[in-house]
Amino acid sequence: TEALETERQLYEADPAHYGGVTAFREATTFVDGCAQSGDAILIAAYGAPLWHYFLNDSHARLDWYSLPIHFPSELEMVAAANDPARALDPAAVALFNGLPSVYRRAWLINDTNEPPGNFQLEEKWLGNWRPAIGEWTFAQVRVVLFDLGGAGGPVETCFN
């Protein structure tokens, strides 16, 4: 166990690992404590620092998905004012459309300091489509819980 603790400390100190980012740890620990069977976790976005942290340090017990990394053009951002899907990767929209057939709720975890997370397009799209039933902020990390209404059952929230 001492060797494991030493290894954990080395990873935390490695900036490429992002284990020392307090906001990442707080947000993912919160979601892990509140998420329930029938929930999905969405990480914005693939390859971003939050994704690296989640992949290496999260203890998620549930299904989680990394959203595709996509940098919208200026034209896409203009179109996104009316329809956020116009600036999202089509794979993300397809994922969102399929979630309610499998999951009751989705936790979106987004580092708003990093592109493309700072655009918050996924949150806007999901918010237009399904109600947000909880929102939390951990420094630059935003966590939003959406009621997908899928797979039946009551929706409960966590307000720890």
Side-chain angles (χ1 to χ4, degrees), residues 41-111:
I41 299 170
L42 308 173
I43 303 295
Y46 178 80
L50 176 62
W51 175 85
H52 283 280
Y53 175 85
F54 201 82
L55 181 66
N56 292 302
D57 280 312
S58 169
H59 302 290
R61 310 167 271 113
L62 304 172
D63 295 344
W64 67 277
Y65 299 87
S66 174
L67 300 178
I69 192 162
H70 179 71
F71 295 97
S73 68
E74 282 188 46
L75 288 174
E76 288 176 317
M77 287 302 292
V78 169
N82 293 324
D83 179 10
R86 302 275 306 271
L88 288 174
D89 185 295
V93 176
L95 171 66
F96 297 157
N97 283 323
L99 289 173
S101 65
V102 181
Y103 305 102
R104 295 182 313 133
R105 307 185 310 178
W107 296 85
L108 175 64
I109 308 174
N110 188 17
D111 179 358

Side-chain angles (χ1 to χ4, degrees), residues 7 18 26-28 53 64-65 69 72 74 77 79-80 91-93 107 114-116 118 120 122-123 147-148 151 159:
E7 186 175 327
Y18 303 101
E26 290 174 345
T28 57
Y53 175 85
W64 67 277
Y65 299 87
I69 192 162
E74 282 188 46
M77 287 302 292
V93 176
W107 296 85
E114 289 291 325
N118 57 346
Q120 296 182 302
E122 295 87 354
E123 182 179 337
D147 173 9
L148 300 178
F159 295 104

